Amino acid sequence: GGNRQLPFNEQQPVNHPVSLYAATKKANELMAHTYSHLYGLPATGLRFFTVYGPWGRPDMAYYSFAKAIAAGEPIVLYDDGRLKRDFTYIDDIVAGVVGALDRPPTDGPRILNIGNHRAEEVRTLVALLEAGLGRKAIVRSAPRPAADVEETFASVDAISALTGFAPSTPLSEGIQRFVAWFKDWHRIS
């Protein structure tokens, strides 16, 4: 939401979402908390930070950028790509989920961040895609929409203390893996 204290930790209030997407995430956490309270069900909510990688959602920025760059079509970068995201490779997300599975909370529901614990500019992502695809992006700049935050950056201290989680895939390596998969899946040489 509108929180500006970085990195985002699980104890920070998230009562002022700036998008409908964020509001639905908060609503889900509230429903899980209530259900856990009413029925004594141990519940862990996981907050994923900008997940990317093979077999990802085609509507996510990294995937749609790759498709556009490969096709020679323009992409839109908000604020010239200066917005920052905590890009987290899918293998790191899975490691966090698996680590939390057999460690249910004993004192009520909990929330855990799973992120790369690093904020990087979107234009860095685009440069890595360009390098991997061997083609320059056609970039159109636009102002940041009101529903987009300037930066995401996950504290992973809580999940690290609980499970030993440590993200291990830097964006440069993860995008290489994604591009290799992308080229193979879309039969691009």
Side-chain angles (χ1 to χ4, degrees):
N3 185 9
R4 293 196 178 271
Q5 183 182 343
L6 298 170
F8 297 149
N9 72 56
E10 298 85 347
Q11 274 61 56
Q12 292 167 324
V14 290
N15 298 323
H16 300 96
V18 298
S19 69
L20 289 173
Y21 173 72
T24 63
K25 291 170 76 171
K26 173 65 175 175
N28 179 267
E29 289 177 4
L30 289 170
M31 288 186 286
H33 176 85
T34 303
Y35 197 86
S36 176
H37 168 75
L38 290 173
Y39 301 106
L41 179 69
T44 300
L46 301 173
R47 292 178 178 166
F48 300 156
F49 282 72
T50 316
V51 183
Y52 73 97
W55 298 102
R57 288 178 24 208
D59 63 318
M60 294 292 287
Y62 76 96
Y63 200 119
S64 63
F65 289 170
K67 280 184 82 170
I69 293 167
E73 298 170 355
I75 63 172
V76 175
L77 287 185
Y78 301 127
D79 290 351
D80 296 316
R82 288 189 304 266
L83 301 181
K84 292 183 175 182
R85 295 293 177 261
D86 192 337
F87 296 106
T88 312
Y89 190 66
I90 185 63
D91 290 4
D92 290 331
I93 294 287
V94 171
V97 171
V98 170
L101 276 176
D102 63 353
R103 293 171 178 86
T106 56
D107 57 351
R110 73 166 163 235
I111 303 293
L112 296 171
N113 291 338
I114 303 180
N116 199 34
H117 190 63
R118 182 178 190 160
E120 300 190 63
E121 290 186 338
V122 174
R123 62 184 169 190
T124 300
L125 166 76
V126 172
L128 291 167
L129 288 169
E130 289 173 328
L133 293 166
R135 185 172 199 152
K136 292 293 284 177
I138 302 166
V139 177
R140 307 272 189 263
S141 188
R144 176 175 60 92
D148 252 11
V149 296
E150 288 182 41
E151 183 172 356
T152 63
F153 179 16
S155 168
V156 295
D157 293 346
I159 195 168
S160 293
L162 179 69
T163 70
F165 172 80
S168 62
T169 312
L171 183 61
S172 58
E173 182 180 324
I175 289 297
Q176 275 185 336
R177 292 181 194 171
F178 165 72
V179 167
W181 170 86
F182 178 87
K183 288 168 119 178
D184 183 58
W185 179 250
H186 292 281
R187 296 189 175 118
I188 299 169
S189 50

